[in-house]
Amino acid sequence: MGGEVVPGLYTSGWARRGSDGVMATTITDSANTAHSILEDLDGLKSRDLPITGCVRELLEEKGVRYVTFDQWSEIDRIEKERGKEKGKPREKMTCYNDVIGNNSSST
């Protein structure tokens, strides 16, 4: 979003800095983001944040493939179910087409 600060919008990893850094950088970003959310928590509870529509519009405008939280929840359920069948916590779906093929409501 042009580098501006948007109240109530938090990012980490590549969403924050672009395709730069290593896993440790992403972990540090995530910890810093969580810290910022905790600092802002009281103010966030009473705020109505319509930003998700703006983010969705931006992603669609740029042709970025994404899944919604509800879609991710279904993917999570399927991965855990597949993992249980193999005696593992989960069996990851690693191909976007597999994910959207198993989740018919994906965009």
Side-chain angles (χ1 to χ4, degrees):
M1 296 185 99
E4 75 243 29
V5 174
V6 178
L9 179 64
Y10 300 87
T11 61
S12 67
W14 285 17
R16 179 176 175 216
R17 66 177 63 250
S19 57
D20 180 43
V22 295
M23 187 68 82
T25 307
T26 301
I27 292 169
T28 301
D29 278 350
S30 298
N32 290 337
T33 299
H35 181 73
S36 294
I37 292 169
L38 289 172
E39 284 181 340
D40 297 348
L41 197 57
D42 288 335
L44 294 173
K45 289 179 183 175
S46 62
R47 180 185 280 171
D48 206 14
L49 300 172
I51 193 67
T52 55
C54 297
V55 171
R56 182 173 290 128
E57 288 172 18
L58 179 65
L59 292 173
E60 289 172 356
E61 178 183 304
K62 293 184 177 284
V64 175
R65 297 182 301 182
Y66 66 91
V67 293
T68 65
F69 181 76
D70 289 340
Q71 293 165 335
W72 175 85
S73 294
E74 179 64 10
I75 293 164
D76 185 51
R77 184 192 66 74
I78 292 168
E79 288 181 345
K80 287 177 179 176
E81 184 178 289
R82 289 180 178 181
K84 187 175 183 180
E85 294 168 1
K86 295 182 177 189
K88 301 177 355 182
R90 70 173 56 239
E91 178 72 14
K92 295 292 289 179
M93 289 190 278
T94 58
C95 176
Y96 187 83
N97 290 331
D98 289 344
V99 171
I100 63 171
N102 283 292
N103 191 351
S104 59
S105 62
S106 285
T107 56

XYZ file of all heavy atoms in Angstrom:
826
model
N 0.832 -1.195 0.000
C 0.000 0.000 0.000
C 0.873 1.253 0.000
O 0.589 2.207 0.685
C -0.958 -0.020 1.176
C -1.969 -1.150 1.127
S -3.173 -1.038 2.452
C -4.496 -0.288 1.533
N 1.928 1.230 -0.733
C 2.731 2.432 -0.892
C 3.609 2.783 0.283
O 4.155 3.868 0.333
N 3.742 1.911 1.272
C 4.611 2.168 2.404
C 4.002 3.012 3.502
O 4.661 3.300 4.488
N 2.735 3.416 3.361
C 2.150 4.226 4.431
C 1.696 3.344 5.592
O 1.446 2.165 5.419
C 0.974 5.057 3.917
C -0.283 4.243 3.681
C -0.728 4.213 2.233
O 0.115 4.314 1.337
O -1.930 4.073 2.030
N 1.623 3.932 6.760
C 1.150 3.230 7.946
C -0.372 3.313 7.963
O -0.947 4.394 7.855
C 1.736 3.864 9.234
C 1.125 3.219 10.473
C 3.260 3.723 9.237
N -1.021 2.153 8.062
C -2.476 2.085 8.114
C -2.853 1.575 9.498
O -2.518 0.439 9.847
C -3.032 1.134 7.029
C -4.546 1.033 7.132
C -2.599 1.592 5.643
N -3.504 2.407 10.313
C -3.863 1.969 11.665
C -4.684 0.677 11.628
O -5.614 0.541 10.842
C -4.706 3.120 12.215
C -4.276 4.308 11.401
C -3.952 3.767 10.039
N -4.267 -0.298 12.436
C -4.992 -1.557 12.528
C -4.601 -2.590 11.489
O -5.142 -3.686 11.486
N -3.668 -2.274 10.609
C -3.191 -3.237 9.618
C -1.779 -3.649 9.994
O -0.899 -2.803 10.134
C -3.203 -2.632 8.212
C -2.696 -3.539 7.084
C -3.613 -4.750 6.924
C -2.617 -2.752 5.787
N -1.568 -4.940 10.174
C -0.275 -5.454 10.620
C 0.239 -6.464 9.604
O -0.523 -7.280 9.091
C -0.402 -6.127 11.990
C -0.903 -5.174 13.033
C -2.263 -4.986 13.236
C -0.018 -4.418 13.796
C -2.727 -4.084 14.177
C -0.469 -3.523 14.737
C -1.827 -3.364 14.923
O -2.285 -2.468 15.856
N 1.522 -6.400 9.314
C 2.130 -7.337 8.377
C 3.460 -7.816 8.936
O 4.033 -7.199 9.837
C 2.389 -6.684 7.006
O 3.285 -5.583 7.176
C 1.102 -6.204 6.371
N 3.949 -8.909 8.371
C 5.293 -9.379 8.698
C 5.819 -10.158 7.511
O 5.098 -10.449 6.565
C 5.283 -10.237 9.966
O 4.596 -11.445 9.749
N 7.097 -10.497 7.572
C 7.704 -11.279 6.508
C 7.671 -10.555 5.177
O 7.863 -9.345 5.101
N 7.425 -11.314 4.113
C 7.449 -10.742 2.771
C 6.351 -9.711 2.565
O 6.513 -8.774 1.790
C 7.337 -11.842 1.727
C 8.606 -12.631 1.552
C 9.677 -12.682 2.414
C 8.937 -13.455 0.454
N 10.644 -13.503 1.915
C 10.224 -14.000 0.706
C 8.288 -13.808 -0.712
C 10.849 -14.861 -0.165
C 8.917 -14.678 -1.583
C 10.177 -15.193 -1.315
N 5.234 -9.846 3.256
C 4.170 -8.839 3.138
C 4.639 -7.494 3.679
O 4.170 -6.446 3.264
C 2.921 -9.296 3.896
N 5.579 -7.531 4.582
C 6.104 -6.299 5.177
C 7.271 -5.726 4.386
O 7.361 -4.525 4.160
C 6.559 -6.575 6.604
C 7.145 -5.362 7.281
C 7.499 -5.649 8.715
N 8.167 -4.511 9.293
C 9.143 -4.596 10.158
N 9.552 -5.765 10.573
N 9.698 -3.520 10.630
N 8.179 -6.601 3.940
C 9.434 -6.108 3.377
C 9.671 -6.528 1.943
O 10.692 -6.216 1.358
C 10.607 -6.545 4.238
C 10.842 -8.038 4.257
C 12.059 -8.494 5.058
N 11.940 -8.174 6.448
C 12.670 -7.235 7.073
N 13.561 -6.549 6.424
N 12.505 -7.013 8.348
N 8.770 -7.302 1.359
C 9.006 -7.831 0.027
C 9.818 -9.114 0.121
O 10.078 -9.619 1.211
N 10.201 -9.637 -1.016
C 10.903 -10.929 -1.037
C 12.370 -10.746 -0.659
O 13.271 -10.859 -1.471
C 10.770 -11.577 -2.409
O 11.274 -10.718 -3.402
N 12.567 -10.453 0.617
C 13.898 -10.183 1.131
C 14.027 -10.847 2.486
O 13.077 -10.915 3.248
C 14.085 -8.665 1.267
C 15.456 -8.302 1.792
O 16.439 -8.903 1.336
O 15.538 -7.424 2.669
N 15.196 -11.355 2.780
C 15.442 -11.929 4.094
C 15.356 -13.442 4.084
O 15.040 -14.066 3.083
N 15.660 -14.004 5.244
C 15.653 -15.452 5.438
C 14.616 -15.797 6.498
O 13.959 -14.910 7.047
C 17.058 -15.947 5.859
C 18.065 -15.727 4.746
C 17.519 -15.261 7.131
N 14.480 -17.079 6.797
C 13.484 -17.523 7.767
C 13.624 -16.788 9.103
O 12.633 -16.382 9.698
C 13.609 -19.033 7.990
C 12.510 -19.597 8.850
S 10.904 -19.552 8.041
C 11.022 -21.004 7.042
N 14.835 -16.579 9.561
C 15.042 -15.881 10.840
C 14.505 -14.451 10.780
O 13.967 -13.939 11.766
C 16.523 -15.881 11.206
N 14.630 -13.809 9.618
C 14.097 -12.453 9.455
C 12.583 -12.468 9.592
O 11.988 -11.613 10.253
C 14.483 -11.891 8.064
O 15.886 -12.014 7.895
C 14.077 -10.445 7.920
N 11.945 -13.467 8.973
C 10.489 -13.588 9.043
C 10.039 -13.864 10.470
O 9.040 -13.292 10.936
C 10.010 -14.707 8.099
O 10.426 -14.391 6.774
C 8.500 -14.856 8.126
N 10.763 -14.695 11.184
C 10.422 -14.999 12.579
C 10.529 -13.737 13.430
O 9.648 -13.450 14.249
C 11.320 -16.127 13.122
C 10.984 -17.439 12.425
C 11.190 -16.253 14.637
C 11.977 -18.560 12.692
N 11.590 -12.970 13.224
C 11.762 -11.717 13.965
C 10.639 -10.740 13.625
O 10.071 -10.101 14.514
C 13.135 -11.088 13.657
O 14.149 -12.020 14.028
C 13.337 -9.793 14.409
N 10.319 -10.620 12.333
C 9.209 -9.756 11.920
C 7.914 -10.165 12.609
O 7.151 -9.324 13.075
C 8.979 -9.844 10.401
C 9.908 -8.962 9.603
O 10.616 -8.137 10.208
O 9.913 -9.094 8.363
N 7.658 -11.463 12.637
C 6.423 -11.965 13.250
C 6.362 -11.628 14.728
O 5.311 -11.215 15.241
C 6.304 -13.472 13.042
O 6.237 -13.775 11.680
N 7.475 -11.798 15.419
C 7.515 -11.468 16.852
C 7.292 -9.971 17.061
O 6.539 -9.571 17.959
C 8.848 -11.898 17.453
N 7.909 -9.142 16.228
C 7.716 -7.692 16.336
C 6.277 -7.302 16.024
O 5.706 -6.418 16.683
C 8.679 -6.949 15.399
C 10.114 -7.033 15.865
O 10.397 -7.256 17.038
N 11.033 -6.872 14.929
N 5.684 -7.956 15.034
C 4.287 -7.672 14.687
C 3.372 -8.050 15.842
O 2.468 -7.282 16.207
C 3.891 -8.428 13.405
O 4.738 -7.985 12.337
C 2.447 -8.173 13.037
N 3.590 -9.228 16.421
C 2.777 -9.657 17.562
C 2.919 -8.667 18.720
O 1.930 -8.316 19.376
C 3.188 -11.060 18.003
N 4.130 -8.192 18.961
C 4.368 -7.203 20.014
C 3.573 -5.915 19.733
O 2.934 -5.360 20.631
C 5.860 -6.912 20.129
C 6.211 -5.933 21.204
N 6.167 -6.258 22.541
C 6.584 -4.635 21.128
C 6.500 -5.198 23.247
N 6.767 -4.202 22.421
N 3.591 -5.468 18.488
C 2.842 -4.250 18.120
C 1.347 -4.442 18.312
O 0.653 -3.546 18.802
C 3.109 -3.885 16.655
O 4.443 -3.505 16.474
N 0.834 -5.603 17.951
C -0.594 -5.881 18.125
C -0.953 -5.854 19.606
O -1.962 -5.255 19.999
C -0.973 -7.231 17.491
C -0.861 -7.140 15.970
C -2.385 -7.653 17.905
C -0.950 -8.472 15.250
N -0.112 -6.482 20.436
C -0.379 -6.483 21.872
C -0.359 -5.064 22.447
O -1.191 -4.727 23.289
C 0.622 -7.375 22.604
C 0.453 -8.870 22.371
C 1.614 -9.649 22.994
C -0.883 -9.362 22.923
N 0.576 -4.247 21.981
C 0.630 -2.854 22.439
C -0.632 -2.092 22.058
O -1.103 -1.234 22.792
C 1.841 -2.136 21.846
C 3.153 -2.493 22.486
C 4.315 -1.723 21.871
O 4.185 -1.215 20.745
O 5.363 -1.632 22.546
N -1.189 -2.403 20.888
C -2.353 -1.680 20.367
C -3.682 -2.329 20.735
O -4.740 -1.788 20.402
C -2.276 -1.601 18.836
C -1.072 -0.812 18.349
O -0.431 -0.133 19.167
O -0.785 -0.887 17.136
N -3.658 -3.453 21.410
C -4.845 -4.279 21.611
C -6.035 -3.528 22.185
O -7.156 -3.658 21.687
C -4.503 -5.483 22.486
C -5.490 -6.630 22.475
C -5.704 -7.147 21.062
C -4.993 -7.749 23.366
N -5.834 -2.735 23.222
C -6.960 -2.029 23.830
C -7.661 -1.116 22.829
O -8.877 -1.048 22.779
C -6.511 -1.225 25.058
C -6.175 -2.134 26.230
O -6.699 -3.266 26.283
O -5.383 -1.701 27.081
N -6.901 -0.425 22.016
C -7.485 0.452 21.015
C -8.149 -0.296 19.878
O -9.084 0.191 19.257
N -7.691 -1.495 19.601
C -8.250 -2.282 18.510
C -9.600 -2.882 18.856
O -10.429 -3.084 17.995
C -7.286 -3.410 18.117
C -5.966 -2.983 17.511
C -5.054 -4.191 17.333
C -6.179 -2.280 16.185
N -9.830 -3.160 20.120
C -11.074 -3.809 20.527
C -12.300 -2.980 20.190
O -13.334 -3.511 19.847
C -11.055 -4.095 22.027
C -10.099 -5.202 22.404
C -10.096 -5.428 23.896
C -9.087 -6.472 24.276
N -8.974 -6.643 25.706
N -12.184 -1.663 20.259
C -13.348 -0.817 20.046
C -13.394 -0.226 18.641
O -14.251 0.578 18.345
C -13.351 0.315 21.080
O -12.192 1.113 20.896
N -12.486 -0.626 17.797
C -12.386 -0.036 16.460
C -13.004 -0.952 15.410
O -12.850 -2.146 15.447
C -10.926 0.207 16.123
C -10.759 0.810 14.749
C -9.340 0.927 14.390
N -8.806 2.100 15.046
C -7.533 2.387 15.073
N -6.676 1.609 14.506
N -7.111 3.471 15.671
N -13.701 -0.348 14.484
C -14.231 -1.067 13.340
C -13.222 -0.893 12.212
O -12.941 0.223 11.822
C -15.569 -0.449 12.958
C -16.485 -1.416 12.251
O -16.233 -2.621 12.278
O -17.444 -0.934 11.672
N -12.644 -1.956 11.713
C -11.581 -1.848 10.726
C -12.051 -2.366 9.362
O -12.058 -3.559 9.108
C -10.353 -2.649 11.182
C -9.748 -2.207 12.503
C -8.674 -3.179 12.946
C -9.179 -0.811 12.373
N -12.429 -1.465 8.462
C -12.916 -1.892 7.149
C -11.793 -2.170 6.145
O -12.046 -2.311 4.970
C -13.732 -0.678 6.706
C -13.018 0.480 7.313
C -12.509 -0.036 8.649
N -10.562 -2.254 6.606
C -9.414 -2.331 5.709
C -9.385 -3.615 4.890
O -8.836 -3.641 3.796
C -8.088 -2.154 6.504
C -6.914 -1.912 5.569
C -7.832 -3.342 7.401
C -6.967 -0.626 4.841
N -9.997 -4.696 5.369
C -9.891 -5.958 4.642
C -10.429 -5.839 3.221
O -9.890 -6.453 2.319
C -10.613 -7.096 5.383
O -11.957 -6.710 5.615
C -9.925 -7.420 6.687
N -11.476 -5.070 3.016
C -11.993 -4.870 1.663
C -10.967 -4.185 0.782
O -10.809 -4.542 -0.393
N -10.246 -3.228 1.330
C -9.208 -2.523 0.569
C -8.083 -3.469 0.187
O -7.578 -3.418 -0.938
C -8.644 -1.360 1.376
S -9.834 -0.081 1.775
N -7.688 -4.325 1.110
C -6.618 -5.274 0.835
C -7.065 -6.257 -0.240
O -6.336 -6.532 -1.193
C -6.180 -6.018 2.119
C -5.221 -7.150 1.800
C -5.567 -5.043 3.102
N -8.296 -6.767 -0.116
C -8.819 -7.704 -1.108
C -8.848 -7.056 -2.494
O -8.433 -7.663 -3.483
C -10.213 -8.178 -0.710
C -10.795 -9.199 -1.687
C -12.094 -9.791 -1.205
N -11.804 -10.652 -0.073
C -12.429 -10.571 1.096
N -13.368 -9.696 1.304
N -12.120 -11.391 2.068
N -9.322 -5.805 -2.576
C -9.365 -5.090 -3.859
C -7.967 -4.935 -4.446
O -7.772 -5.119 -5.650
C -10.003 -3.721 -3.681
C -11.491 -3.756 -3.437
C -12.059 -2.383 -3.082
O -11.389 -1.359 -3.354
O -13.169 -2.348 -2.527
N -6.994 -4.599 -3.613
C -5.616 -4.430 -4.072
C -5.060 -5.748 -4.607
O -4.439 -5.785 -5.675
C -4.736 -3.898 -2.945
C -3.264 -3.686 -3.285
C -3.105 -2.597 -4.339
C -2.487 -3.314 -2.026
N -5.292 -6.834 -3.890
C -4.813 -8.135 -4.337
C -5.438 -8.520 -5.673
O -4.749 -8.984 -6.588
C -5.114 -9.208 -3.282
C -4.353 -9.101 -1.968
C -4.886 -10.130 -0.971
C -2.866 -9.280 -2.175
N -6.740 -8.316 -5.789
C -7.425 -8.660 -7.031
C -6.954 -7.783 -8.186
O -6.753 -8.267 -9.303
C -8.934 -8.568 -6.838
C -9.454 -9.692 -5.951
C -10.919 -9.545 -5.559
O -11.555 -8.521 -5.916
O -11.434 -10.463 -4.884
N -6.755 -6.503 -7.909
C -6.267 -5.573 -8.930
C -4.907 -6.001 -9.472
O -4.622 -5.895 -10.662
C -6.179 -4.172 -8.322
C -5.645 -3.101 -9.232
C -5.532 -1.775 -8.489
O -6.554 -1.308 -7.942
O -4.421 -1.227 -8.449
N -4.066 -6.524 -8.585
C -2.719 -6.938 -8.971
C -2.661 -8.396 -9.435
O -1.594 -8.894 -9.789
C -1.751 -6.722 -7.807
C -1.556 -5.246 -7.483
C -0.529 -5.062 -6.408
C -0.273 -3.607 -6.142
N 0.538 -2.972 -7.153
N -3.805 -9.074 -9.427
C -3.847 -10.465 -9.872
C -3.194 -11.436 -8.917
O -2.730 -12.505 -9.316
N -3.145 -11.084 -7.632
C -2.526 -11.944 -6.624
C -3.528 -13.018 -6.189
O -4.666 -12.706 -5.843
C -2.077 -11.110 -5.400
C -1.541 -12.011 -4.300
C -1.046 -10.075 -5.820
N -3.078 -14.271 -6.223
C -3.928 -15.364 -5.742
C -3.870 -15.377 -4.216
O -2.801 -15.223 -3.631
C -3.438 -16.697 -6.290
C -3.524 -16.761 -7.804
C -3.083 -18.090 -8.333
N -1.712 -18.372 -7.954
C -1.049 -19.455 -8.313
N -1.614 -20.361 -9.061
N 0.208 -19.641 -7.930
N -4.997 -15.568 -3.586
C -5.058 -15.593 -2.127
C -6.161 -16.525 -1.685
O -7.006 -16.940 -2.489
C -5.285 -14.185 -1.563
C -6.631 -13.602 -1.928
C -7.723 -13.787 -1.090
C -6.818 -12.887 -3.099
C -8.965 -13.266 -1.419
C -8.046 -12.359 -3.435
C -9.119 -12.558 -2.596
O -10.354 -12.050 -2.921
N -6.136 -16.871 -0.412
C -7.245 -17.608 0.189
C -7.741 -16.794 1.372
O -6.977 -16.100 2.044
C -6.850 -19.035 0.644
C -6.509 -19.919 -0.544
C -5.716 -19.012 1.632
N -9.017 -16.868 1.625
C -9.612 -16.177 2.771
C -9.369 -17.007 4.030
O -8.924 -18.170 3.958
C -11.129 -16.004 2.581
O -11.739 -17.314 2.563
C -11.452 -15.256 1.291
N -9.684 -16.447 5.172
C -9.520 -17.187 6.418
C -10.407 -18.425 6.417
O -9.976 -19.506 6.839
C -9.832 -16.309 7.634
C -9.649 -17.055 8.926
C -8.381 -17.293 9.429
C -10.737 -17.541 9.617
C -8.198 -18.011 10.607
C -10.564 -18.258 10.800
C -9.299 -18.489 11.292
N -11.651 -18.298 5.935
C -12.547 -19.456 5.884
C -11.974 -20.540 4.977
O -12.039 -21.734 5.298
C -13.936 -19.049 5.400
C -14.695 -18.242 6.436
O -14.351 -18.293 7.636
O -15.654 -17.544 6.040
N -11.411 -20.143 3.856
C -10.794 -21.105 2.954
C -9.577 -21.756 3.613
O -9.377 -22.968 3.511
C -10.398 -20.430 1.639
C -11.603 -19.988 0.837
C -11.238 -19.020 -0.276
O -10.222 -18.326 -0.198
N -12.063 -18.969 -1.301
N -8.761 -20.961 4.297
C -7.610 -21.508 4.996
C -8.059 -22.510 6.056
O -7.430 -23.561 6.225
C -6.779 -20.400 5.651
C -5.673 -20.991 6.462
C -4.442 -21.373 6.017
C -5.731 -21.334 7.849
N -3.720 -21.932 7.055
C -4.494 -21.908 8.182
C -6.710 -21.206 8.835
C -4.205 -22.362 9.464
C -6.421 -21.657 10.124
C -5.185 -22.218 10.426
N -9.143 -22.206 6.758
C -9.651 -23.116 7.785
C -10.007 -24.470 7.184
O -9.745 -25.517 7.779
C -10.874 -22.518 8.483
O -10.507 -21.365 9.204
N -10.591 -24.460 5.987
C -10.931 -25.706 5.310
C -9.656 -26.450 4.884
O -9.564 -27.668 5.023
C -11.825 -25.420 4.105
C -12.217 -26.646 3.321
C -13.075 -27.656 4.082
O -13.550 -27.353 5.202
O -13.261 -28.767 3.554
N -8.678 -25.721 4.376
C -7.394 -26.330 4.010
C -6.757 -26.956 5.246
O -6.260 -28.091 5.200
C -6.460 -25.282 3.381
C -7.021 -24.837 2.031
C -5.036 -25.817 3.245
C -6.391 -23.547 1.507
N -6.773 -26.235 6.360
C -6.218 -26.730 7.618
C -6.898 -28.031 8.024
O -6.235 -29.002 8.407
C -6.390 -25.663 8.696
C -5.732 -26.017 10.007
O -4.534 -26.369 10.000
O -6.422 -25.931 11.046
N -8.222 -28.066 7.898
C -8.987 -29.271 8.254
C -8.575 -30.445 7.373
O -8.306 -31.544 7.872
C -10.485 -29.003 8.120
C -11.356 -30.186 8.560
C -12.806 -30.010 8.153
N -12.993 -30.023 6.706
C -12.924 -31.130 5.929
N -12.648 -32.296 6.466
N -13.127 -31.044 4.629
N -8.466 -30.219 6.062
C -8.097 -31.279 5.123
C -6.683 -31.785 5.405
O -6.429 -32.991 5.420
C -8.219 -30.783 3.663
C -9.694 -30.538 3.318
C -7.586 -31.773 2.688
C -9.905 -29.784 2.007
N -5.746 -30.862 5.642
C -4.364 -31.265 5.926
C -4.285 -32.120 7.193
O -3.556 -33.117 7.232
C -3.467 -30.044 6.055
C -3.190 -29.355 4.740
C -2.283 -28.152 4.860
O -2.061 -27.654 5.986
O -1.797 -27.701 3.812
N -5.017 -31.744 8.216
C -5.010 -32.527 9.457
C -5.641 -33.901 9.248
O -5.150 -34.902 9.763
C -5.731 -31.762 10.565
C -4.934 -30.589 11.081
C -5.707 -29.814 12.133
C -4.886 -28.656 12.658
N -5.655 -27.835 13.613
N -6.714 -33.935 8.477
C -7.383 -35.201 8.176
C -6.438 -36.136 7.406
O -6.311 -37.317 7.739
C -8.634 -34.904 7.343
C -9.500 -36.084 7.025
C -10.726 -35.637 6.240
O -11.605 -34.983 6.842
O -10.778 -35.912 5.027
N -5.772 -35.606 6.392
C -4.825 -36.404 5.618
C -3.643 -36.862 6.474
O -3.160 -37.983 6.325
C -4.305 -35.608 4.422
C -5.340 -35.405 3.349
C -4.753 -34.617 2.209
N -5.712 -34.447 1.137
C -5.441 -33.811 0.008
N -4.244 -33.289 -0.196
N -6.368 -33.693 -0.918
N -3.176 -36.002 7.358
C -2.081 -36.374 8.248
C -2.471 -37.484 9.198
O -1.692 -38.414 9.434
N -3.667 -37.399 9.741
C -4.153 -38.416 10.683
C -4.147 -39.792 10.020
O -3.775 -40.786 10.644
C -5.552 -38.052 11.158
C -6.084 -38.927 12.245
C -7.428 -38.425 12.747
C -7.915 -39.285 13.891
N -9.213 -38.814 14.378
N -4.526 -39.824 8.732
C -4.535 -41.086 7.984
C -3.130 -41.680 7.873
O -2.979 -42.885 7.715
C -5.111 -40.871 6.581
C -6.578 -40.497 6.572
C -7.077 -40.001 5.206
O -6.281 -39.958 4.240
O -8.269 -39.668 5.130
N -2.105 -40.832 7.956
C -0.714 -41.284 7.824
C 0.026 -41.294 9.158
O 1.244 -41.426 9.198
C 0.032 -40.387 6.831
C -0.508 -40.494 5.421
C 0.280 -39.633 4.469
C -0.238 -39.828 3.043
N 0.625 -39.179 2.061
N -0.706 -41.065 10.257
C -0.079 -41.069 11.574
C 0.778 -39.837 11.839
O 1.723 -39.896 12.611
N 0.450 -38.722 11.173
C 1.201 -37.470 11.323
C 0.234 -36.366 11.752
O -0.973 -36.501 11.590
C 1.835 -37.081 9.974
C 2.775 -38.115 9.423
C 3.384 -37.827 8.060
C 2.970 -36.635 7.284
N 3.593 -36.485 5.967
N 0.766 -35.255 12.280
C -0.115 -34.144 12.664
C -0.869 -33.562 11.469
O -2.006 -33.149 11.584
C 0.833 -33.100 13.252
C 2.069 -33.848 13.625
C 2.156 -35.012 12.680
N -0.213 -33.538 10.294
C -0.853 -33.017 9.087
C -0.061 -33.451 7.865
O 1.101 -33.785 7.964
C -1.007 -31.496 9.124
C 0.274 -30.717 8.996
C 0.069 -29.198 8.872
N -0.697 -28.647 9.957
C -1.855 -27.983 9.791
N -2.356 -27.794 8.609
N -2.503 -27.499 10.820
N -0.714 -33.444 6.731
C -0.072 -33.679 5.439
C -0.290 -32.404 4.638
O -1.408 -32.091 4.216
C -0.704 -34.886 4.728
C -0.141 -35.183 3.370
C 1.264 -35.765 3.397
O 1.736 -36.205 4.471
O 1.894 -35.776 2.332
N 0.791 -31.638 4.460
C 0.698 -30.325 3.825
C 0.349 -30.438 2.347
O 0.843 -31.305 1.644
C 2.024 -29.564 3.949
C 2.410 -29.209 5.360
C 1.510 -28.193 5.979
C 1.710 -26.827 5.384
N 0.852 -25.808 5.932
N -0.524 -29.561 1.900
C -0.768 -29.361 0.479
C 0.188 -28.258 0.066
O 0.150 -27.162 0.621
C -2.216 -28.944 0.225
C -3.208 -30.057 0.438
S -4.868 -29.640 -0.125
C -5.483 -28.712 1.276
N 1.057 -28.550 -0.875
C 2.104 -27.594 -1.227
C 1.907 -26.944 -2.580
O 2.631 -26.014 -2.924
C 3.482 -28.277 -1.208
O 3.458 -29.366 -2.131
C 3.821 -28.786 0.191
N 0.949 -27.382 -3.338
C 0.693 -26.818 -4.665
C -0.598 -26.009 -4.611
O -1.637 -26.513 -4.163
C 0.587 -27.939 -5.684
S 0.161 -27.377 -7.342
N -0.542 -24.774 -5.062
C -1.725 -23.907 -5.013
C -2.912 -24.557 -5.719
O -4.030 -24.499 -5.242
C -1.410 -22.544 -5.627
C -2.530 -21.552 -5.454
C -2.651 -20.827 -4.273
C -3.468 -21.339 -6.453
C -3.678 -19.920 -4.092
C -4.494 -20.430 -6.281
C -4.602 -19.719 -5.100
O -5.630 -18.832 -4.922
N -2.664 -25.216 -6.842
C -3.763 -25.844 -7.578
C -4.394 -26.980 -6.786
O -5.597 -27.205 -6.871
C -3.288 -26.328 -8.947
C -2.978 -25.175 -9.874
O -3.561 -24.098 -9.762
N -2.061 -25.380 -10.789
N -3.585 -27.720 -6.002
C -4.150 -28.743 -5.122
C -5.037 -28.099 -4.071
O -6.101 -28.597 -3.739
C -3.047 -29.540 -4.417
C -2.297 -30.450 -5.364
O -2.788 -30.712 -6.478
O -1.191 -30.885 -4.983
N -4.579 -26.988 -3.545
C -5.324 -26.280 -2.508
C -6.662 -25.805 -3.060
O -7.711 -26.076 -2.489
C -4.511 -25.085 -1.941
C -5.372 -24.236 -1.035
C -3.277 -25.590 -1.214
N -6.646 -25.117 -4.184
C -7.914 -24.604 -4.710
C -8.783 -25.714 -5.271
O -9.996 -25.615 -5.268
C -7.724 -23.458 -5.739
C -6.971 -23.925 -6.961
C -7.100 -22.239 -5.100
C -6.933 -22.910 -8.085
N -8.161 -26.813 -5.705
C -8.933 -27.950 -6.184
C -9.707 -28.625 -5.056
O -10.779 -29.162 -5.257
N -9.160 -28.574 -3.843
C -9.806 -29.160 -2.676
C -10.670 -28.158 -1.932
O -11.273 -28.475 -0.939
C -8.750 -29.710 -1.708
C -8.205 -31.018 -2.195
O -8.911 -32.011 -2.219
N -6.964 -30.997 -2.641
N -10.679 -26.946 -2.401
C -11.397 -25.885 -1.719
C -12.146 -25.084 -2.776
O -11.674 -24.073 -3.239
C -10.393 -25.017 -0.950
C -11.077 -24.067 -0.018
O -12.295 -23.935 -0.048
N -10.303 -23.375 0.772
N -13.310 -25.560 -3.150
C -14.015 -25.027 -4.314
C -14.410 -23.569 -4.194
O -14.708 -22.935 -5.183
C -15.261 -25.864 -4.583
O -16.112 -25.841 -3.459
N -14.380 -23.000 -2.989
C -14.754 -21.586 -2.848
C -13.572 -20.644 -3.007
O -13.705 -19.453 -2.836
C -15.432 -21.347 -1.500
O -14.545 -21.652 -0.447
N -12.372 -21.169 -3.340
C -11.201 -20.315 -3.517
C -11.373 -19.406 -4.697
O -12.085 -19.702 -5.628
C -9.942 -21.156 -3.733
O -9.514 -21.725 -2.548
N -10.624 -18.291 -4.642
C -10.652 -17.368 -5.753
C -9.571 -17.711 -6.736
O -8.622 -18.364 -6.426
C -10.457 -15.929 -5.261
O -9.246 -15.850 -4.518
C -11.621 -15.488 -4.445
